[in-house]
Amino acid sequence: MHHFVAKSEWSDEAILERVRDFVLPKMGADADYYWIIDDTSFPKKGMHSVGVARQYCGALGKLSNCQVAVSLSIATKRASLPIAYRLYLPKEWVDDAKRRAKTGVPQDVAFATKQDIALAQVRQALGKGVPIGTVLADAGYGQSASFRETLTELGLRYAVGISAQNVVWLPGVAPLPPKAMPHMGRPAKNFRRAPGHEPVRVQDVAVSLPDQAWREVTWREGSNAPLCSRFAALRVHPTGRNRWKTGLLAQEWLLIEWPTGADVPTKYFLSTLPEGVPLEELVRVAKMRWRIERDYQELKQELGLGDYEGRGWRGFHHHASLCIAAYGFLVATRLEDDGAEKKTLQLPAPALPKNYRPRGSGAGAAARARLRGERTACARTGDCTPPP
């Protein structure tokens, strides 16, 4: 088993492709597809496991010693499945020939950011003919203008998170054109900014919106209650990857979530969904990213994704591929059996039997006291005849 997982030369991509082809038809031929980009982390103590470094660990919510893997999942309203999985290799690992050789990192693996890895997975999925879907990602990916523009160049719509510090151009506001400088050599190419011609932070946009711009929206049933919050959406122009040489880009949706009672907005999204899409649909699509969180939860807790104890590159990816294959089988079986959606439904509490008595209730305490008294009397008198 160790040789099969850690040493054998079988292809992770081929396994994941077969699993995808097995599960995808059961998700629904005419379903709306979503491509969910995310990463997951594995806390580690030592420094010898491939890719381990001090970096942000989502499992712990802080900087810590861990490994991080980037994945692409395909999802519908009924189910979801990871279809690509790749370890993120920090720069210090890429430059360390000794550790690379010891853990079997392939020679053609160069340094790539998490966004680069995700975009490579997206290009591979397009090349394999995976059904086109709306790309979803958190702010770790969506706040990059280069990442968003590349998705648009690939012909994909998206609904991605951004940070509160991202800036956008409001409708009617634009940069000034390059300054004309006749007889001064090369013409100026940089757009100019001046008072009244500047982009605004999305956090400032949210604070400036009137009360009537906000609406309560429920997007799905949770495990205990319907999930709802307060949202506002408006059309804006995002800033480009080269903010000084790019004029106004095409308009996109800026979606803002500000829960009732919160001091500040909690989440921001940019989306290239059509202009006429209703707010409820915009929220539902942006919130579909919960699927990947459920995937990782089940893969780690039920199928052992986080339990691999080897140190090598090949074993790390083989172990993950086998876990995803098992997960794909379970997803397909669940869809075949009852066609139920993936989310867990809230079940009614079972009826209590008539003779049910809560633990520690007064009646139980009295009974225990009586028994203690009987045991004491038995020891004192020697008459230990069981009571009726």
Side-chain angles (χ1 to χ4, degrees), residues 222-245:
S223 56
N224 297 317
L227 300 181
C228 64
S229 187
R230 205 169 58 125
F231 294 88
L234 67 155
R235 302 287 286 176
V236 298
H237 297 276
T239 54
R241 69 181 79 184
N242 191 330
R243 52 189 300 180
W244 295 108
K245 293 185 179 180

mmCIF file of all heavy atoms in Angstrom, residues 222-245:
data_model
loop_
_atom_site.group_PDB
_atom_site.id
_atom_site.type_symbol
_atom_site.label_atom_id
_atom_site.label_comp_id
_atom_site.label_asym_id
_atom_site.label_seq_id
_atom_site.Cartn_x
_atom_site.Cartn_y
_atom_site.Cartn_z
ATOM 1 N N GLY A 222 -30.196 26.648 5.651
ATOM 2 C CA GLY A 222 -29.049 26.188 6.414
ATOM 3 C C GLY A 222 -29.380 24.934 7.192
ATOM 4 O O GLY A 222 -30.463 24.365 7.076
ATOM 5 N N SER A 223 -28.454 24.466 8.024
ATOM 6 C CA SER A 223 -28.688 23.260 8.806
ATOM 7 C C SER A 223 -29.700 23.495 9.916
ATOM 8 O O SER A 223 -30.391 22.571 10.343
ATOM 9 C CB SER A 223 -27.374 22.759 9.407
ATOM 10 O OG SER A 223 -26.765 23.787 10.181
ATOM 11 N N ASN A 224 -29.811 24.739 10.394
ATOM 12 C CA ASN A 224 -30.748 25.041 11.477
ATOM 13 C C ASN A 224 -31.827 26.032 11.083
ATOM 14 O O ASN A 224 -32.919 26.007 11.642
ATOM 15 C CB ASN A 224 -29.981 25.602 12.694
ATOM 16 C CG ASN A 224 -29.001 24.600 13.279
ATOM 17 O OD1 ASN A 224 -29.328 23.431 13.421
ATOM 18 N ND2 ASN A 224 -27.791 25.058 13.593
ATOM 19 N N ALA A 225 -31.535 26.912 10.149
ATOM 20 C CA ALA A 225 -32.496 27.953 9.765
ATOM 21 C C ALA A 225 -32.116 28.479 8.386
ATOM 22 O O ALA A 225 -30.989 28.272 7.916
ATOM 23 C CB ALA A 225 -32.483 29.087 10.791
ATOM 24 N N PRO A 226 -33.040 29.165 7.705
ATOM 25 C CA PRO A 226 -32.700 29.770 6.414
ATOM 26 C C PRO A 226 -31.572 30.787 6.564
ATOM 27 O O PRO A 226 -31.496 31.513 7.564
ATOM 28 C CB PRO A 226 -34.011 30.440 5.994
ATOM 29 C CG PRO A 226 -35.070 29.722 6.738
ATOM 30 C CD PRO A 226 -34.462 29.327 8.042
ATOM 31 N N LEU A 227 -30.667 30.817 5.584
ATOM 32 C CA LEU A 227 -29.550 31.749 5.602
ATOM 33 C C LEU A 227 -29.956 33.029 4.887
ATOM 34 O O LEU A 227 -30.346 33.006 3.722
ATOM 35 C CB LEU A 227 -28.333 31.129 4.920
ATOM 36 C CG LEU A 227 -27.805 29.834 5.546
ATOM 37 C CD1 LEU A 227 -26.592 29.335 4.785
ATOM 38 C CD2 LEU A 227 -27.465 30.037 7.012
ATOM 39 N N CYS A 228 -29.888 34.140 5.586
ATOM 40 C CA CYS A 228 -30.265 35.425 4.995
ATOM 41 C C CYS A 228 -29.365 36.510 5.539
ATOM 42 O O CYS A 228 -28.750 36.367 6.602
ATOM 43 C CB CYS A 228 -31.738 35.740 5.264
ATOM 44 S SG CYS A 228 -32.130 35.958 7.009
ATOM 45 N N SER A 229 -29.275 37.599 4.805
ATOM 46 C CA SER A 229 -28.489 38.752 5.217
ATOM 47 C C SER A 229 -28.945 39.955 4.404
ATOM 48 O O SER A 229 -29.855 39.860 3.573
ATOM 49 C CB SER A 229 -26.998 38.490 5.001
ATOM 50 O OG SER A 229 -26.214 39.530 5.551
ATOM 51 N N ARG A 230 -28.304 41.088 4.619
ATOM 52 C CA ARG A 230 -28.671 42.334 3.944
ATOM 53 C C ARG A 230 -27.651 42.619 2.851
ATOM 54 O O ARG A 230 -26.443 42.587 3.093
ATOM 55 C CB ARG A 230 -28.694 43.466 4.964
ATOM 56 C CG ARG A 230 -29.588 44.650 4.613
ATOM 57 C CD ARG A 230 -29.730 45.552 5.817
ATOM 58 N NE ARG A 230 -28.437 46.015 6.280
ATOM 59 C CZ ARG A 230 -28.102 47.298 6.437
ATOM 60 N NH1 ARG A 230 -28.972 48.242 6.166
ATOM 61 N NH2 ARG A 230 -26.920 47.626 6.894
ATOM 62 N N PHE A 231 -28.149 42.901 1.634
ATOM 63 C CA PHE A 231 -27.260 43.092 0.484
ATOM 64 C C PHE A 231 -27.629 44.355 -0.277
ATOM 65 O O PHE A 231 -28.779 44.809 -0.254
ATOM 66 C CB PHE A 231 -27.350 41.901 -0.473
ATOM 67 C CG PHE A 231 -26.839 40.610 0.087
ATOM 68 C CD1 PHE A 231 -27.690 39.764 0.796
ATOM 69 C CD2 PHE A 231 -25.524 40.238 -0.089
ATOM 70 C CE1 PHE A 231 -27.232 38.560 1.305
ATOM 71 C CE2 PHE A 231 -25.054 39.034 0.426
ATOM 72 C CZ PHE A 231 -25.908 38.201 1.122
ATOM 73 N N ALA A 232 -26.623 44.880 -0.984
ATOM 74 C CA ALA A 232 -26.819 45.962 -1.954
ATOM 75 C C ALA A 232 -25.947 45.656 -3.167
ATOM 76 O O ALA A 232 -24.864 45.063 -3.037
ATOM 77 C CB ALA A 232 -26.452 47.310 -1.361
ATOM 78 N N ALA A 233 -26.405 46.051 -4.345
ATOM 79 C CA ALA A 233 -25.650 45.798 -5.571
ATOM 80 C C ALA A 233 -25.746 47.011 -6.482
ATOM 81 O O ALA A 233 -26.811 47.644 -6.587
ATOM 82 C CB ALA A 233 -26.175 44.555 -6.290
ATOM 83 N N LEU A 234 -24.646 47.348 -7.131
ATOM 84 C CA LEU A 234 -24.630 48.447 -8.096
ATOM 85 C C LEU A 234 -23.585 48.168 -9.158
ATOM 86 O O LEU A 234 -22.673 47.356 -8.954
ATOM 87 C CB LEU A 234 -24.350 49.780 -7.411
ATOM 88 C CG LEU A 234 -22.961 49.991 -6.793
ATOM 89 C CD1 LEU A 234 -22.657 51.488 -6.723
ATOM 90 C CD2 LEU A 234 -22.895 49.407 -5.384
ATOM 91 N N ARG A 235 -23.739 48.835 -10.288
ATOM 92 C CA ARG A 235 -22.822 48.657 -11.410
ATOM 93 C C ARG A 235 -21.652 49.623 -11.263
ATOM 94 O O ARG A 235 -21.832 50.821 -11.023
ATOM 95 C CB ARG A 235 -23.539 48.913 -12.733
ATOM 96 C CG ARG A 235 -24.747 48.026 -12.978
ATOM 97 C CD ARG A 235 -24.355 46.611 -13.318
ATOM 98 N NE ARG A 235 -23.816 46.504 -14.670
ATOM 99 C CZ ARG A 235 -23.319 45.378 -15.182
ATOM 100 N NH1 ARG A 235 -23.261 44.285 -14.439
ATOM 101 N NH2 ARG A 235 -22.872 45.351 -16.426
ATOM 102 N N VAL A 236 -20.425 49.093 -11.409
ATOM 103 C CA VAL A 236 -19.210 49.895 -11.278
ATOM 104 C C VAL A 236 -18.223 49.475 -12.360
ATOM 105 O O VAL A 236 -18.403 48.445 -13.026
ATOM 106 C CB VAL A 236 -18.566 49.718 -9.886
ATOM 107 C CG1 VAL A 236 -19.495 50.186 -8.776
ATOM 108 C CG2 VAL A 236 -18.157 48.265 -9.657
ATOM 109 N N HIS A 237 -17.165 50.266 -12.512
ATOM 110 C CA HIS A 237 -16.047 49.905 -13.391
ATOM 111 C C HIS A 237 -14.870 49.485 -12.516
ATOM 112 O O HIS A 237 -14.375 50.296 -11.723
ATOM 113 C CB HIS A 237 -15.632 51.100 -14.263
ATOM 114 C CG HIS A 237 -16.692 51.567 -15.207
ATOM 115 N ND1 HIS A 237 -16.899 50.990 -16.440
ATOM 116 C CD2 HIS A 237 -17.610 52.567 -15.087
ATOM 117 C CE1 HIS A 237 -17.893 51.614 -17.046
ATOM 118 N NE2 HIS A 237 -18.346 52.575 -16.247
ATOM 119 N N PRO A 238 -14.387 48.247 -12.612
ATOM 120 C CA PRO A 238 -13.223 47.852 -11.807
ATOM 121 C C PRO A 238 -11.951 48.476 -12.347
ATOM 122 O O PRO A 238 -11.881 48.886 -13.515
ATOM 123 C CB PRO A 238 -13.203 46.329 -11.954
ATOM 124 C CG PRO A 238 -13.835 46.079 -13.280
ATOM 125 C CD PRO A 238 -14.887 47.148 -13.452
ATOM 126 N N THR A 239 -10.947 48.556 -11.521
ATOM 127 C CA THR A 239 -9.637 49.016 -11.974
ATOM 128 C C THR A 239 -8.898 47.851 -12.622
ATOM 129 O O THR A 239 -9.098 46.695 -12.264
ATOM 130 C CB THR A 239 -8.811 49.562 -10.801
ATOM 131 O OG1 THR A 239 -8.758 48.570 -9.768
ATOM 132 C CG2 THR A 239 -9.442 50.826 -10.247
ATOM 133 N N GLY A 240 -8.019 48.160 -13.571
ATOM 134 C CA GLY A 240 -7.317 47.131 -14.320
ATOM 135 C C GLY A 240 -6.009 46.733 -13.678
ATOM 136 O O GLY A 240 -5.587 47.271 -12.642
ATOM 137 N N ARG A 241 -5.355 45.769 -14.305
ATOM 138 C CA ARG A 241 -4.076 45.289 -13.765
ATOM 139 C C ARG A 241 -3.004 46.367 -13.861
ATOM 140 O O ARG A 241 -2.086 46.397 -13.051
ATOM 141 C CB ARG A 241 -3.654 44.014 -14.509
ATOM 142 C CG ARG A 241 -3.260 44.217 -15.951
ATOM 143 C CD ARG A 241 -2.890 42.899 -16.616
ATOM 144 N NE ARG A 241 -4.069 42.133 -16.998
ATOM 145 C CZ ARG A 241 -4.013 40.923 -17.529
ATOM 146 N NH1 ARG A 241 -2.835 40.336 -17.709
ATOM 147 N NH2 ARG A 241 -5.116 40.287 -17.889
ATOM 148 N N ASN A 242 -3.076 47.239 -14.847
ATOM 149 C CA ASN A 242 -2.176 48.386 -14.936
ATOM 150 C C ASN A 242 -3.030 49.641 -14.781
ATOM 151 O O ASN A 242 -3.579 50.168 -15.740
ATOM 152 C CB ASN A 242 -1.426 48.396 -16.267
ATOM 153 C CG ASN A 242 -0.300 49.405 -16.283
ATOM 154 O OD1 ASN A 242 -0.379 50.435 -15.617
ATOM 155 N ND2 ASN A 242 0.743 49.124 -17.038
ATOM 156 N N ARG A 243 -3.160 50.087 -13.561
ATOM 157 C CA ARG A 243 -4.144 51.107 -13.235
ATOM 158 C C ARG A 243 -3.857 52.452 -13.883
ATOM 159 O O ARG A 243 -4.752 53.283 -14.007
ATOM 160 C CB ARG A 243 -4.236 51.271 -11.721
ATOM 161 C CG ARG A 243 -2.904 51.500 -11.039
ATOM 162 C CD ARG A 243 -3.023 51.442 -9.533
ATOM 163 N NE ARG A 243 -3.934 52.434 -9.004
ATOM 164 C CZ ARG A 243 -4.193 52.579 -7.712
ATOM 165 N NH1 ARG A 243 -3.631 51.774 -6.846
ATOM 166 N NH2 ARG A 243 -5.012 53.513 -7.294
ATOM 167 N N TRP A 244 -2.615 52.690 -14.322
ATOM 168 C CA TRP A 244 -2.299 53.995 -14.909
ATOM 169 C C TRP A 244 -2.407 53.976 -16.438
ATOM 170 O O TRP A 244 -2.596 55.017 -17.047
ATOM 171 C CB TRP A 244 -0.880 54.414 -14.503
ATOM 172 C CG TRP A 244 -0.757 54.636 -13.024
ATOM 173 C CD1 TRP A 244 -0.117 53.844 -12.131
ATOM 174 C CD2 TRP A 244 -1.315 55.714 -12.272
ATOM 175 N NE1 TRP A 244 -0.232 54.348 -10.862
ATOM 176 C CE2 TRP A 244 -0.969 55.512 -10.919
ATOM 177 C CE3 TRP A 244 -2.091 56.830 -12.606
ATOM 178 C CZ2 TRP A 244 -1.355 56.369 -9.905
ATOM 179 C CZ3 TRP A 244 -2.469 57.688 -11.585
ATOM 180 C CH2 TRP A 244 -2.112 57.463 -10.264
ATOM 181 N N LYS A 245 -2.283 52.803 -17.045
ATOM 182 C CA LYS A 245 -2.325 52.729 -18.502
ATOM 183 C C LYS A 245 -3.649 52.188 -19.021
ATOM 184 O O LYS A 245 -3.821 52.028 -20.227
ATOM 185 C CB LYS A 245 -1.170 51.857 -19.012
ATOM 186 C CG LYS A 245 0.198 52.480 -18.763
ATOM 187 C CD LYS A 245 1.303 51.652 -19.392
ATOM 188 C CE LYS A 245 2.665 52.313 -19.150
ATOM 189 N NZ LYS A 245 3.769 51.529 -19.759
#
